């Protein structure tokens, strides 16, 4: 999207993504590993209900941060959402297709019950920071 090479996504604009910061996942794993009552249970470390964001909003945050850095959004602002769109001409999205085309809601009840002292940060708070870092670093690690 940043380079204007992706103009259509094979999903609806309201398709929600479940994104969590890596530090939340790491802290949760360490905490759960130290709790004997977590043995044998499954934990979905997710954003949780009400914290997932529609893809259109995530792209809007990206474009806003891009514009704040004085970078034109003209070339990248034309992303359209089309569930029938085929990506057969481009292999760029192949690894992400299952995530972009199959709505998911994970049962995070076990995680919420065991991790009472903390939860995933609200996506609207941390995603702009991720975008700023990606733009400032030219998408390099």
């Amino acid at each position: 999207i940043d380079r204007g090479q992706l103009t259509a996504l094979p999903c609806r604009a309201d398709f929600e993504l479940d994104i969590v910061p890596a530090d939340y996942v790491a802290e949760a794993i360490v905490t759960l590993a130290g709790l004997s009552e977590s043995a044998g249970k499954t934990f979905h470390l997710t954003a949780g209900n009400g914290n997932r964001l529609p893809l259109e909003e995530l792209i809007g945050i990206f474009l806003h941060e891009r514009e704040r850095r004085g970078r034109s959004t003209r070339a990248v602002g034309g992303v359209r959402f089309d569930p029938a769109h085929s990506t057969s001409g481009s292999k760029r999205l192949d690894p992400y297709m299952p995530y972009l085309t199959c709505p998911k809601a994970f049962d995070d009840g076990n995680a919420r019950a065991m991790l009472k002292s903390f939860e995933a940060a609200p996506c609207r708070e941390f995603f702009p920071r991720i975008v700023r870092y990606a733009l400032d670093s030219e998408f390099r690690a």
Side-chain angles (χ1 to χ4, degrees), residues 3-137:
R3 292 177 179 86
Q5 298 170 338
L6 182 63
T7 58
L9 289 170
C11 59
R12 294 174 19 175
D14 62 353
F15 188 89
E16 293 184 328
L17 292 181
D18 194 306
I19 303 171
V20 294
D23 58 344
Y24 162 74
V25 173
E27 185 177 355
I29 290 171
V30 169
T31 301
L32 292 166
L35 298 173
S36 60
E37 59 268 29
S38 70
K41 294 183 179 162
T42 300
F43 298 92
H44 295 285
L45 303 174
T46 69
N49 290 336
N51 197 12
R52 294 183 298 268
L53 290 184
L55 191 54
E56 183 174 45
E57 185 174 347
L58 290 168
I59 290 175
I61 291 169
F62 168 75
L63 294 174
H64 174 75
E65 293 298 332
R66 194 176 196 284
E67 211 168 87
R68 284 182 56 187
R69 280 159 178 65
R71 295 168 72 176
S72 170
T73 58
R74 194 174 322 130
V76 298
V79 176
R80 67 179 169 46
F81 299 91
D82 180 1
H85 178 71
S86 170
T87 61
S88 61
S90 168
K91 298 291 181 198
R92 286 186 190 114
L93 285 180
D94 284 356
Y96 308 104
M97 289 304 290
Y99 200 66
L100 289 172
T101 57
C102 301
K104 291 158 204 57
F106 299 95
D107 179 359
D108 64 346
N110 283 343
R112 280 186 289 109
M114 294 279 214
L115 302 171
K116 294 175 182 149
S117 62
F118 66 96
E119 59 187 24
C123 194
R124 283 183 182 88
E125 286 180 19
F126 76 82
F127 191 69
R129 286 194 307 257
I130 291 172
V131 171
R132 286 191 293 272
Y133 176 80
L135 291 169
D136 292 345
S137 67

